[in-house]
Every structure is written in C-alpha cells, then in structure tokens.
Amino acid sequence: MPSLIFAAVLFLRFIVLGIEKPKAIQAPVEVSHRVLFISSYNPLYFTYESQVRGLEKSLYPRGIEYDVVYMYADERGQAGFDMFYNFLKAKLKDQKKYEAILLGDDDALKFAIDHQNEMFPKMPMVYFGINDYELARKASERPNMIGFYENDYLEETINLAMQLFPKRKTLVALHDQSSAGLSDIEIFWSLREKYKEYAFVDLDATLFSQNDLILLLESLPNDSILFYMTCYSDKSRNVYSMLSRTSTVVRSASVPIFRNYVGGEGMGILGGVHIDVEEQCEKAGEILAEILNGSKIESIPFVEQIPSRTTFDYNLMKHYNLDFSILPSDTVLYNRPVTFWEQYGKFLPAVGMLILAMLLFLISSNISRKIATELARSLQESRNRLIQREEELQHQAKYDEVLDIYNRRTITEWLHNTMGKGDVYSVIIIDIDNFKMLNENYGHSLADSILQYLVAMIRGLAENGGWKLARFGGDEFLIVIPNERISMDCESIKALFDVLRSPIPLGDETLAITASMGASCSDEITAPDQHIINAEGAMYEAKVRGKNGLVIYDDDMKKKAQEEIVIKEKLQHAFDNDGFFMLYQPQIDAQTKKVSGYEALVRMKEPGIYPGQFIPVAERSGWIWRIGRITTELVIKQLAAWRDEGKELHPVSVNYSSNQLNDHGYVGFVEDLLKKYDIPPNLLEIEITEGLFLEKSALADEIFRRFKDLGIRLLMDDFGTGYSSLGYLTYIPVDVIKLDKSLVDTYLVDGKDSFIKNIIHLMHDLDKEMIIEGVEEEWQFNRLREFGADTIQGYFFSKPIPADEAIVFQTK
C-alpha cells in the first residue's frame, strides 16, 4: 500500500508539471525602422530560410521591419543584372526611403560596392554570407560598410572524412561556378600537396547536363568520398533547389557524401562541418540594430570567424559501421532514435513503485506460480526469436542477398581457414563479358535474373563436384575446386564453358553471353589468399586477350606481376623525388628543312626503366594524370628557359592520355602554368590519340573545346592505326594529323605510295596540316616532300634528344 500511494503521488507530480502553462501575451513592438535586404539569389536558395530566421530573431523584437529584393545571380547574365539595377533604382526612388541595407552573399555585396555612391549614399550597410575573403575585408574598409566573412570549413570536413574512411583514397569535389563553389574548389585543390597519397577529382556541375552528372555520380570509384559543395546550376544554366539537387546526388552516388554547408541533413548526407547561417544572420541583425540606435559603424569590428557546427546522420554512421568517438563531442546527430531512458525516464520511478505495489498485491493473493509460468513462457519465446534472428543475421553476413551464395568475405575466409599450402585445389574467377551493357539494355532487375539463372546452372556443377561457389563482385564469381589442378582442356573447364555459353531463355527469345575466366592452381608454395589475387590477374589478362576465354596463372604472369611491382615502386619514388625528364624530337619543315617544332617525350631518370614499361603501369594504376601534369609543367618551364636564353621558340607538343579525362582540373592547370611562365598558348600543342576523338563523349568534347578556347592546337596522334573511315575528319576539332609510322612502312613503296600522296592532299583539302612520323631514310623524305607533306619527324633527321641539343639542332 505505501508503494502504491508513493507511485500515485509521483504520477500526479509529473502530470501537474507536464501541463503547459499559458504564455504571457507580449505586446507587439512598434515599428521604428525600415531597412532593405538585398539577397544575391532567390527564396529557393539553400541558405535563404536560415538567413530569414536569423534576421527575424534580431530585427523584429527591436521594431525593425525589412523588405527583400532578389538578384537571382545564379540565373542571370549581364542583361539580367542590368534589369535588376533598373528595378532597384526605380524602387529606391518611388518607395519610402530605407534607413539601412542588408546584403546577403557575394553578388549583393559586389553590387552594393559598385553602386554605393549612386544608390546608397551615406546609408549603413551590413553584409553576411561572403565567401570571398578579400572582398569581405576590403568592404569593411569602405565607409558605412561592415559585416561578416563566411569562413569555410571544407578542410575540417575533409579531415573528418579522412579519419572516418582511412582506406578511401579518392576525394571527389562536386561544385559549380558560383562564388561559394569557386571558393570551395580553390580550397579543395590547395590541399592536394598536403595529402599527396590521395587522388583529387573535380566535378564542375556547370560543365554537365543533369543526365551526364547522374552518370558521373553513378560511376564514382568504390574507394572515393564525395564532397557535395555549392552546385545548383548545370551546363544549360538550369538552377535546382537544394532539395532537388540533394535528391539527385544522394540517389546517384553510392559512396559516402559529406557537405560543408547547411542543408540536406537527414536526407542521405553523411555529415560535415559548416557555419551556423542562422546564428550569423542573427548577429548581423543585432549589429544593424546597434547602428540604427546610434552606434558608429567605424567602431564595429569586421567579423572573420563564425563558430562551426558539426552535423552527422546517425543511421548512415551505423550503415558504414563508423566510430562515433571520432566525431567532436558537440556533434548534432540526425535520425538518432530516442533512447528508452529519454522517452520514459521521468516516469520510471513511478512505474517502478507501481509495479512493486502490484507485485506485492499479487504475491499476497497467492498467484506467484502463475506469474512465474507466464514469465518462463515469455522468456522462451523471446529466446526463440533471438535465436531465429541471430541465424538470419549470420546467413545475411555469409551469403549474397540476391544470389544466395557465399559472398566475397565468406569465401575468402573459408579458403584461408580450410586450404593449406600442401592441399590440391584450383581457384577460378569468372567475369561476365560486357555485363554493364546488359544492365543498360535490360535494366538491373532483369540483369539480376540473368545472374540468378547462371548461378542455378553453375550450382548444379558445384554440388556434383564438391566445389565452393561465391559472388566475388557485381558480375564476378569465384569458384574453388578442391582436389584438382585444372587445365585448359579438363572436364571441369569444359563443363563451365558449356554452362556459360548456353543461350539463356528470356521469354520468347534467348540471350547469348560470354565470360572471361582466370585461374590459379595450388603449388605447395603459394598461400591461398594469393591464389585469389593470381586468379583475378589472370582473369584481367583473359580480358586483354579478347575475352571469352580462360587464362591460367603461370610463371610468366608471376614474373610480369613482380616486374610491375618494381616499376610501381620506381614510379612512386620518381613522383616524390623529381624522377622525370624530357627529351625533344625535332619536327622538320619539309620544304625549308628547318626546325618547325618538337614532340616532348617523357623519360624516367631511373636507369633501365623505359616508357614502354612505366607508361602502361601508370595507366593501370591511375597515375597517368600525374605524369601528364609533370610533363606539361616541365615543357612549359623549358619554353620559358629557352626564351630567357634568347633562343628562337617553336611549338612543343605533349601527349594526352584518355585516362587523363578524369583529371577535370587539367585544363585549368595548363592555363595557370602558361600565365605563370608568360608563355603564349600557341607554343603548346596537345597530342591526342585517334580513338579518344572518336568516342565523342560529352566530357571529352568539353575538354577539347576548352583547349581550343585557350588557343592551344590539337594534334591527332597515331592516325591510321585503327579507324577505317575518313568521314569523321570533317567534324572533329583537330588542327594537325600525324600519320603513323606503320602506314609509312606499308604504303611508301613503289606501286602503293599514291595512297600516302592522296592522304596528304585530302588533309590539305580539309584545311589540316600533316606531320609524317617514322621517316628513317633520305629517299622517304624526298618522296614525301614531293607529295607536299608539311612536316617530317623521324630518325632520318634526329632521335629524341636533350633540351640543350634540341634548341640548337639544325639539319645537315
């Protein structure tokens, strides 16, 4: 009875305290001031609502009313700004005079500076949301202007992302050409030297359509982290709301997404560090109120630092299995479930006392046996549910969700724990050829059905032979065949190829597919884990050899892999220790026999490592963009050195690889170098292989256009080695064609040389110059000069030579 009474008292106390008391009615403040808020963008811009909330907190209680005008700076051209100028000028003339001006974001501040004396003479102006530090600082030095620099916490966000994902080494920046976007990307690229082990990728949203951007986001590397900055415009000047663009980014990218701005919390953004926009604008309103109440604007300091606010999504932290202790102690967690204690804690004492009273009554009524029986049954049911759930979780952890076969981690652990060096077995990795095209043509759902059909067929072989079958990747499977070292024509391989090459029924039609396989057989030396690596390498070799076949890992492949490891180490050392230099092969005017240009060819300072060895390794390792930047800088510096020595300069061409397309900042890098060393763009030429022109991708076309806009000529290298039609030459953006040596050797002979002559005349008709490569004999040079060739390059005149020899080279 005392417990029951005490519980009732506690319940009554919580009920009384929980009744919401009516708030005192506050008399409205009389409006005493009226100001104008000039917003750079529009009401849909992602910071606008936070800005308004902050301003209303500080202005309305002080009797300050404000009007808003929008510049729509992210949507207007110059004509739009002129229209806004005329609109605002008329408004200030016709409307009641404002006492002060609020300026939101960079474009509004720039407008106010340009028209201060004309439109806002002697009016105090307070600005906020300024991403350009120099603009904000200089504005604070002008009369009647003061405000806030919106410091960027991008570097803090990147550092936090690196700590949370130490194994992801590709950092992708998504931005646009707005003031905030340009500020962000400048900070992003400035960190590249600090974090050299990371690959930095630049995605400028204004260079792509919405569909192209989605495709790029869907194809981000698995080891990447996406930094979602200010990016609300696209190539067609369409402007997207924060909600719309965030939805696109989250739905398209399958990698962790970080953001250094407010907006997108709880919508799929993992987290980030950013300023508190609402707090900044509240303080801006307070400063404006001080000025209107008599404070001198000159006595108010310029605010350079706004405290940061760290926000993360609790569910996504759990999804990526991240360590919460890495986050700052004041981190705001979205989507965090309310704990039992938070929801019911204040009632627990009363509930406890009530339960105690009930138990005492029940015990006193002699029903304890029934309670114990019921409790035991309930516990048994809970235990059974827990056991069932545990079994389900264990199955999900070990098996692929779609195909219900072992996943990659399970098969790797099984092989490691089961097979020793002395055991006999084979490891096979299967990759479906052109599976990406199946996804695009038939959709993901039907593609999954195709995989399920294949698994069902292979599972039959696996069960009969005692094999272990697992999903190794998206369209890759791993098979372990115990007690057998397979060969090219063994029964196991024949059976596998029979299954893989059998038509797959699709309704009334059938689908034929092929697969590439790589295998590695036990040898009593190699560890099981290494056999997986070897089989994967053999599978890639099968792809290179034309697909639809099997390659078994052997000593030659092992030697090649070991050589590649050595070359990778040499390349890394060269990157870190200035390990590259350039040779220059003169290009000779066919008529005057004078030097008209050079092709720059990269070499490693490490003895015994040649371009044919290290260039393919750099391509496969994703390092070719670094070599591309190094060679470009070496060439431009050399041109500057020749100029300073008073030498006559000729154009120098550098090679551009297709894999450099991922280096989205390369064109800007080249432009900065040309400005830094004061080299005219026409002295630098870019050599691009024939195939890259023919791909006609939006990204490649955009890069070629930017080269042309800079005044850099484009050269097509290796012409004649692959494509059979000449029609495409009428529309590709190329200035010079380089005829490959293989065509010279094949056709510059009696009876066939008219082909070379016709090619040269055709190029001239298309208003393109012709460089002939691989000329090694005097008679070849004489014949080509007769045919009207523009430029000759080859060992007849000179092999690639050092810079000091190239600049003084003359023909004999």
Side-chain angles (χ1 to χ4, degrees):
M1 184 60 68
S3 299
L4 186 59
I5 294 173
F6 187 63
V9 171
L10 288 175
F11 268 121
L12 288 173
R13 177 175 178 270
F14 291 137
I15 291 171
V16 171
L17 291 177
I19 297 176
E20 184 175 352
K21 297 180 180 179
K23 296 181 179 179
I25 299 176
Q26 183 178 357
V29 178
E30 182 178 354
V31 175
S32 55
H33 301 284
R34 191 178 183 192
V35 301
L36 179 64
F37 172 24
I38 302 177
S39 173
S40 293
Y41 301 112
N42 59 68
L44 295 179
Y45 194 67
F46 75 99
T47 59
Y48 178 74
E49 291 185 1
S50 298
Q51 290 176 344
V52 168
R53 285 196 301 269
L55 291 174
E56 291 178 355
K57 280 184 180 179
S58 54
L59 297 182
Y60 285 177
R62 293 173 171 84
I64 302 173
E65 188 176 55
Y66 69 92
D67 293 340
V68 187
V69 291
Y70 307 99
M71 294 182 66
Y72 289 85
D74 52 350
E75 304 175 42
R76 298 175 183 264
Q78 185 57 47
F81 282 108
D82 293 340
M83 185 184 302
F84 175 77
Y85 164 83
N86 294 327
F87 159 77
L88 186 58
K89 187 173 182 181
K91 180 179 180 66
L92 293 175
K93 179 179 180 182
D94 299 336
Q95 297 287 332
K96 179 181 178 181
K97 184 177 180 182
Y98 298 103
E99 299 178 59
I101 304 294
L102 288 163
L103 303 169
D105 298 294
D106 298 61
D107 288 287
L109 179 56
K110 293 175 185 175
F111 181 90
I113 291 174
D114 292 340
H115 304 287
Q116 182 178 15
N117 295 332
E118 175 190 4
M119 302 180 71
F120 318 107
K122 298 182 180 180
M123 293 180 70
M125 288 183 273
V126 178
Y127 53 83
F128 48 84
I130 310 303
N131 297 106
D132 187 335
Y133 174 79
E134 286 300 317
L135 175 67
R137 185 186 59 79
K138 290 180 179 179
S140 69
E141 298 171 357
R142 297 177 66 89
N144 296 317
M145 277 193 179
I146 199 63
F148 296 74
Y149 165 62
E150 187 170 271
N151 48 300
D152 197 315
Y153 286 97
L154 176 60
E155 183 172 359
E156 289 79 356
T157 299
I158 292 176
N159 287 332
L160 200 51
M162 290 176 175
Q163 295 178 54
L164 290 169
F165 295 96
K167 293 184 179 180
R168 292 179 179 256
K169 298 298 182 181
T170 302
L171 309 181
V172 182
L174 178 60
H175 69 99
D176 60 16
Q177 291 291 318
S178 66
S179 299
L182 293 175
S183 176
D184 281 334
I185 200 61
E186 182 178 358
I187 295 171
F188 179 78
W189 280 115
S190 71
L191 299 175
R192 185 181 57 194
E193 292 300 318
K194 184 176 180 181
Y195 303 109
K196 294 184 178 180
E197 70 275 24
Y198 286 80
F200 284 68
V201 179
D202 174 358
L203 292 182
D204 185 347
T206 60
L207 300 180
F208 310 105
S209 67
Q210 175 81 334
N211 289 335
D212 286 344
L213 180 61
I214 290 173
L215 290 176
L216 286 171
L217 293 174
E218 289 178 343
S219 61
L220 289 178
N222 291 333
D223 72 328
S224 60
I225 302 173
L226 177 63
F227 295 93
Y228 168 32
M229 305 171 182
T230 304
C231 60
Y232 303 106
S233 301
D234 65 9
K235 181 178 181 180
S236 303
R237 300 181 66 87
N238 297 316
V239 179
Y240 301 88
S241 69
M242 187 279 295
L243 179 62
S244 173
R245 184 45 61 95
T246 301
S247 176
T248 297
V249 172
V250 170
R251 285 188 292 104
S252 303
S254 60
V255 300
I257 305 171
F258 286 77
R259 180 165 170 79
N260 58 316
Y261 288 103
V262 67
E265 295 87 354
M267 298 171 58
I269 306 300
L270 176 55
V273 185
H274 55 78
I275 70 162
D276 191 329
V277 175
E278 184 172 332
E279 180 182 351
Q280 177 187 205
C281 293
E282 183 178 359
K283 292 183 180 297
E286 292 172 354
I287 289 175
L288 183 67
E290 291 180 22
I291 296 170
L292 293 175
N293 289 330
S295 296
K296 293 186 176 297
I297 196 170
E298 298 81 9
S299 65
I300 299 174
F302 167 53
V303 181
E304 300 186 21
Q305 190 76 16
I306 298 295
S308 66
R309 184 169 180 259
T310 304
T311 59
F312 273 79
D313 190 305
Y314 178 92
N315 289 336
L316 288 177
M317 288 288 290
K318 286 288 189 180
H319 171 75
Y320 287 109
N321 195 26
L322 301 178
D323 185 359
F324 283 82
S325 65
I326 295 176
L327 303 179
S329 58
D330 60 348
T331 299
V332 177
L333 292 174
Y334 287 89
N335 295 325
R336 183 175 69 87
V338 178
T339 65
F340 182 88
W341 180 260
E342 290 173 336
Q343 187 165 2
Y344 302 108
K346 64 181 181 179
F347 297 103
L348 287 180
V351 171
M353 296 305 298
L354 182 59
I355 292 174
L356 178 59
M358 292 174 65
L359 287 174
L360 290 172
F361 278 116
L362 291 172
I363 291 172
S364 66
S365 302
N366 197 23
I367 59 172
S368 59
R369 181 178 301 175
K370 182 179 179 180
I371 293 175
T373 303
E374 184 66 21
L375 182 60
R377 186 186 63 80
S378 176
L379 290 174
Q380 184 61 42
E381 290 178 353
S382 297
R383 181 175 180 274
N384 292 338
R385 287 195 296 269
L386 287 173
I387 292 173
Q388 181 182 356
R389 182 56 180 160
E390 182 179 1
E391 291 173 350
E392 291 174 355
L393 291 174
Q394 288 178 351
H395 185 85
Q396 291 174 3
K398 292 176 61 177
Y399 289 84
D400 182 79
E401 182 179 1
V402 176
L403 304 179
D404 197 31
I405 57 177
Y406 278 167
N407 57 31
R408 181 173 185 152
R409 181 175 62 83
T410 304
I411 194 65
T412 303
E413 290 179 354
W414 181 89
L415 186 62
H416 178 80
N417 296 329
T418 307
M419 295 298 180
K421 289 184 178 180
D423 291 322
V424 174
Y425 60 94
S426 300
V427 176
I428 302 173
I429 291 182
I430 304 171
D431 182 88
I432 308 302
D433 296 330
N434 304 316
F435 191 75
K436 181 180 178 182
M437 185 174 65
L438 289 178
N439 265 321
E440 293 173 351
N441 291 339
Y442 295 100
H444 292 287
S445 178
L446 188 55
D448 285 343
S449 298
I450 293 171
L451 291 179
Q452 289 167 350
Y453 177 86
L454 287 174
V455 166
M457 300 297 291
I458 298 174
R459 198 197 300 267
L461 296 176
E463 291 175 352
N464 292 333
W467 305 352
K468 293 294 181 181
L469 172 63
R471 188 175 191 176
F472 196 66
D475 60 330
E476 295 179 355
F477 301 97
L478 186 146
I479 296 174
V480 179
I481 302 180
N483 305 316
E484 181 181 357
R485 293 189 178 99
I486 60 103
S487 62
M488 297 294 292
D489 56 355
C490 71
E491 293 302 320
S492 297
I493 294 301
K494 289 180 180 177
L496 264 177
F497 271 124
D498 286 343
V499 166
L500 293 171
R501 292 169 177 171
S502 297
I504 299 173
L506 294 179
D508 297 332
E509 302 177 358
T510 59
L511 173 69
I513 65 169
T514 62
S516 301
M517 295 193 293
S520 180
C521 301
S522 62
D523 54 8
E524 300 184 359
I525 298 174
T526 306
D529 295 347
Q530 184 62 40
H531 281 301
I532 295 178
I533 298 173
N534 294 348
E536 190 170 20
M539 181 270 291
Y540 287 126
E541 182 66 21
K543 291 282 189 184
V544 172
R545 295 182 186 181
K547 304 179 180 180
N548 192 25
L550 166 70
V551 172
I552 300 177
Y553 188 83
D554 55 20
D555 290 340
D556 289 340
M557 293 184 68
K558 182 177 181 180
K559 181 179 178 182
K560 182 178 179 182
Q562 291 172 342
E563 290 176 351
E564 182 160 326
I565 291 173
V566 172
I567 292 174
K568 281 184 178 180
E569 293 175 351
K570 300 294 185 184
L571 272 173
Q572 192 62 59
H573 183 269
F575 288 136
D576 298 336
N577 297 278
D578 188 25
F580 298 94
F581 68 97
M582 305 302 294
L583 295 180
Y584 299 84
Q585 187 171 28
Q587 297 169 335
I588 307 302
D589 186 295
Q591 303 306 316
T592 66
K593 295 184 68 174
K594 293 183 178 180
V595 174
S596 60
Y598 306 93
E599 179 180 359
L601 300 162
V602 64
R603 299 290 188 268
M604 284 181 64
K605 295 178 182 178
E606 178 72 28
I609 306 294
Y610 302 103
Q613 296 171 292
F614 72 81
I615 292 296
V617 173
E619 292 274 6
R620 288 192 294 271
S621 303
W623 295 339
I624 196 65
W625 70 271
R626 299 180 68 179
I627 293 180
R629 290 199 174 207
I630 289 170
T631 56
T632 304
E633 185 165 6
L634 287 174
V635 166
I636 293 176
K637 289 171 69 174
Q638 186 60 62
L639 283 166
W642 283 337
R643 178 199 59 207
D644 296 343
E645 294 170 5
K647 305 295 185 182
E648 181 182 3
L649 299 183
H650 300 289
V652 180
S653 62
V654 295
N655 289 284
Y656 183 87
S657 166
S658 61
N659 287 333
Q660 287 180 255
L661 286 176
N662 293 323
D663 183 7
H664 301 291
Y666 177 72
V667 180
F669 171 78
V670 172
E671 184 177 10
D672 292 342
L673 284 176
L674 292 173
K675 291 179 180 178
K676 177 180 178 180
Y677 291 100
D678 194 22
I679 296 298
N682 65 323
L683 290 178
L684 181 69
E685 299 177 335
I686 303 295
E687 288 197 23
I688 302 171
T689 56
E690 183 180 20
L692 190 53
F693 283 106
L694 298 178
E695 288 180 3
K696 289 297 290 176
S697 69
L699 181 58
D701 287 348
E702 177 63 20
I703 289 176
F704 298 156
R705 182 193 63 76
R706 293 178 65 191
F707 277 133
K708 300 288 285 185
D709 290 346
L710 282 179
I712 295 175
R713 295 207 309 170
L714 301 182
L715 284 65
M716 176 188 286
D717 197 14
D718 300 334
F719 174 72
T721 59
Y723 200 57
S724 59
S725 172
L726 300 177
Y728 70 90
L729 293 174
T730 60
Y731 61 80
I732 60 174
V734 65
D735 304 290
V736 181
I737 304 296
K738 298 190 73 174
L739 191 69
D740 189 73
K741 181 180 185 300
S742 61
L743 266 70
V744 174
D745 294 340
T746 302
Y747 291 102
L748 194 61
V749 296
D750 290 338
K752 294 184 179 181
D753 55 4
S754 60
F755 173 78
I756 301 291
K757 180 179 180 181
N758 291 336
I759 287 290
I760 294 173
H761 290 172
L762 173 62
M763 295 307 149
H764 289 168
D765 290 341
L766 295 174
D767 198 26
K768 300 183 189 299
E769 296 180 21
M770 196 79 184
I771 297 177
I772 313 297
E773 294 185 294
V775 177
E776 299 180 349
E777 304 291 341
E778 183 175 9
W779 69 267
Q780 291 177 321
F781 164 69
N782 291 332
R783 186 76 58 87
L784 291 167
R785 181 166 57 176
E786 292 175 7
F787 291 167
D790 301 295
T791 306
I792 305 296
Q793 180 179 339
Y795 277 30
F796 171 64
F797 288 111
S798 175
K799 64 181 181 181
I801 53 179
D804 56 349
E805 297 178 24
I807 195 62
V808 297
F809 178 82
Q810 294 181 353
T811 60
K812 297 179 181 179

